[in-house]
Amino acid sequence: MSDAAMGQGRREPADGDIVREQAVLFRLTDRLYRANGLGEIYDAALDAICDALGSSRASILRFDSHGVMSFVAWRSLSEEYREAVNGHTPWTRGEHNAEPILVEDIRLSGESRQLIDTVLGEGIEALAFIPLASSHELVGKFMVYYPAPHRFADRERELALTIARQLGFAIERKRAETTAARLSALVESSDDAIIATDTDGIVTDWNSGAERLYGYGRKEMIGRPLMLLIPPEILARIRNGEHVEHFETVRLCKDGSSIPISLTVSPIADASGAIVGASKIARDISERLRAQEQRELLLREMDHRVKNLFVIASSIVNLSASAAETPAALASTVSDRLGALARAHALTMLPSTGPSVQVATSLHALIAAILAPYRHGADEHPRFAISGIDMPVPSAMITPLSLLLHEFATNAAKHGSLSAAAGSIEIACSNSDGKVTVQWREVGGPSPVATEDEGFGSRLIRAAASELGGFVRGWDPAGIVLEITIDIGRFSA
């Protein structure tokens, strides 16, 4: 075939051609810069391909999520043709340094007869494969088609590669913008505090979660050192050369309060891999720590109560055995007392708050329920006596008051008057100067021994008493004396 038939591809470009090509590239650059999405990017590139390479037919194909090269934009190609050649590519996604493939005559390409017939059937006799690459991988190709054999000039090859580079960069930029926007939305909507700093520890990003956690607004923290959030005691340890573990640590809020957090720190790298800062994700673990403390308290209380119940059960059996005439009588007495103990224990479990829990009980009735497991039979002296004023006990007061009385009775059964056969308890209720006083006096038991040691039971008594008012413990030679003082207004709450 003559050079005339193959076109004038080898001639030097005229000045007019150079001006036209520069105008095409300028328009492409401008449109790619202004493009709002991939559709506009593809349209700008296809216009430039057709204008610069003198063809009315072109296409852009990209690797999809399955690694298949698929059409994403085209000009003047039938659906049948696109379906027939979709997926065909001379390169793989991981290939580096892919070079353009210029097919001047499809009949001489060496491709399969089926593919040649498909291309000729579309009215295409020459075509070019131009690779599209991002900064780190092959993302696709663009194609340009001619209706007759075509000899590609070096100038056309360079133009095609220039357009391909601009298109590849535009695709990468748009993908990065989309990813950044998605990540920004995720960061901004996160409940966790997400903070970015530069290598000097200066805050560069501060999300809404950080605003909620620390109390500082974004404008207050951007450009300021993150050290502002580190408590002085931790700073002092760091300055002394001490290693401070930061996976769970403490930070300062704007109001000066400290907050426990779980912290994750990751490096931030630029496109070249150089570390330019750090990302910190902080999560408030106050609720988790409170729940953990509450769980530990409940476990210790359960352990304490279970041990006490065994002691009380043993005491009940021993006290009942001395008066029982037959095994059946003993079983009946123990069963009755354990049942009363269960009812008293149930009283201590009533919630102090909650949806309309109404409990009808009085001060005397509550004390009697707690002490019922320790009473003797009708022919024996009573183990306890309740005197003085009686008044209704509101539901909010039942749990702390029951806990106190239950602990008093437990200690009396273990060490005090209820541990002796002749021992008893005198409970006197009085009202003076707007205060209700419940005095618990033990008599007939072993002499009390004063101690400053505070076990879990003592801490439980102190905690329950703090909900009611005052608590005093005295060491009378005849037996221990305990007093609970409650503001009378609490009984009408």
Side-chain angles (χ1 to χ4, degrees), residues 12 174 207 281 299 359 377 387-388 424 440 462:
E12 290 297 320
K174 183 54 62 178
N207 77 332
I281 301 176
L299 287 173
V359 179
S387 62
S424 62
W440 173 290
R462 182 161 46 81

Side-chain angles (χ1 to χ4, degrees), residues 37 49 115 126 213 287 300 313 409 463:
I49 293 167
L115 181 59
L213 182 63
E287 287 298 325
R300 292 171 61 198

Side-chain angles (χ1 to χ4, degrees), residues 3 39 59 88 93 203 215 231 272 277 297 309 313 350 352 364 429 434 458:
D3 285 346
S59 65
H88 180 269
R93 172 178 278 172
V203 176
S272 67
L297 177 64
L309 287 174
L350 287 171
S352 57
H364 285 202
C429 305
S458 297

Side-chain angles (χ1 to χ4, degrees), residues 65-103:
S65 58
H66 302 290
V68 177
M69 187 80 82
S70 300
F71 286 88
V72 294
W74 56 88
R75 293 284 168 83
S76 303
L77 294 177
S78 68
E79 182 177 354
E80 292 77 15
Y81 176 77
R82 298 196 311 273
E83 290 180 355
V85 300
N86 195 64
H88 180 269
T89 174
W91 313 292
T92 61
R93 172 178 278 172
E95 191 163 343
H96 297 285
N97 303 318
E99 292 292 332
I101 298 175
L102 310 175
V103 182

Side-chain angles (χ1 to χ4, degrees), residues 340-341 344-345 347-348 365-374 402 405-406 409 440:
L341 179 63
H345 181 74
L347 277 176
T348 69
L366 180 62
I367 297 170
I370 298 297
L371 290 173
Y374 308 99
S402 296
L405 295 170
H406 187 72
W440 173 290

Side-chain angles (χ1 to χ4, degrees), residues 23-52 58 60 73 75 163 166-167 170 173:
V24 168
L25 293 177
F26 176 80
R27 284 196 302 272
L28 173 62
T29 302
D30 183 63
R31 290 180 65 184
L32 292 179
Y33 176 77
R34 298 174 184 276
N36 291 319
L38 285 174
E40 293 185 13
I41 289 174
Y42 296 151
D43 282 343
L46 288 173
D47 286 345
I49 293 167
C50 292
D51 290 345
I60 300 172
R75 293 284 168 83
I163 294 171
Q166 292 206 49
L167 176 55
R173 176 176 58 84

Side-chain angles (χ1 to χ4, degrees), residues 132-320:
L132 297 176
S134 68
S135 60
H136 58 281
E137 67 176 352
L138 192 69
V139 298
K141 66 180 179 180
F142 80 69
M143 304 286 299
V144 59
Y145 311 94
Y146 297 90
H150 182 84
R151 180 172 293 172
F152 292 91
D154 292 341
R155 185 72 183 173
E156 290 176 312
R157 183 179 186 278
E158 292 305 316
L159 271 172
L161 287 174
T162 300
I163 294 171
R165 279 192 292 271
Q166 292 206 49
L167 176 55
F169 292 153
I171 291 172
E172 184 174 33
R173 176 176 58 84
K174 183 54 62 178
R175 183 168 58 183
E177 288 176 355
T178 301
T179 301
R182 184 170 62 250
L183 290 176
S184 178
L186 288 172
V187 167
E188 193 58 30
S189 63
S190 174
D191 289 333
D192 293 334
I194 301 178
I195 305 163
T197 65
D198 62 18
T199 52
D200 294 321
I202 303 301
V203 176
T204 58
D205 293 281
W206 184 268
N207 77 332
S208 297
E211 292 184 342
R212 291 189 295 270
L213 182 63
Y214 297 115
Y216 290 98
R218 182 180 283 104
K219 291 182 179 179
E220 293 179 278
M221 285 303 298
I222 298 296
R224 301 183 69 184
L226 194 62
M227 298 288 279
L228 182 71
L229 304 178
I230 300 179
E233 59 271 20
I234 293 182
L235 277 177
R237 290 167 60 190
I238 293 172
R239 286 171 180 148
N240 288 334
E242 183 178 345
H243 175 73
V244 178
E245 182 60 71
H246 280 288
F247 293 107
E248 287 193 2
T249 185
V250 178
R251 288 293 181 265
L252 282 177
C253 296
K254 184 178 181 180
D255 61 7
S257 62
S258 296
I259 185 168
I261 63 168
S262 172
L263 186 66
T264 302
V265 182
S266 303
I268 298 176
D270 63 14
S272 67
I275 302 302
V276 295
S279 167
K280 299 172 176 65
I281 301 176
R283 175 169 296 176
D284 183 357
I285 57 174
S286 301
E287 287 298 325
R288 194 194 80 190
L289 294 180
R290 278 194 289 269
Q292 182 177 326
E293 291 173 359
Q294 181 67 15
R295 184 168 61 251
E296 291 174 357
L297 177 64
L298 290 175
L299 287 173
R300 292 171 61 198
E301 181 177 344
M302 182 176 68
D303 177 69
H304 175 76
R305 284 176 175 242
V306 168
K307 289 177 180 177
N308 280 346
L309 287 174
F310 280 122
V311 171
I312 292 170
S314 176
S315 176
I316 288 173
V317 171
N318 291 332
L319 290 171
S320 303

Side-chain angles (χ1 to χ4, degrees), residues 4-16:
M6 294 293 291
Q8 300 300 316
R10 301 296 184 187
R11 68 179 177 83
E12 290 297 320
D15 291 343

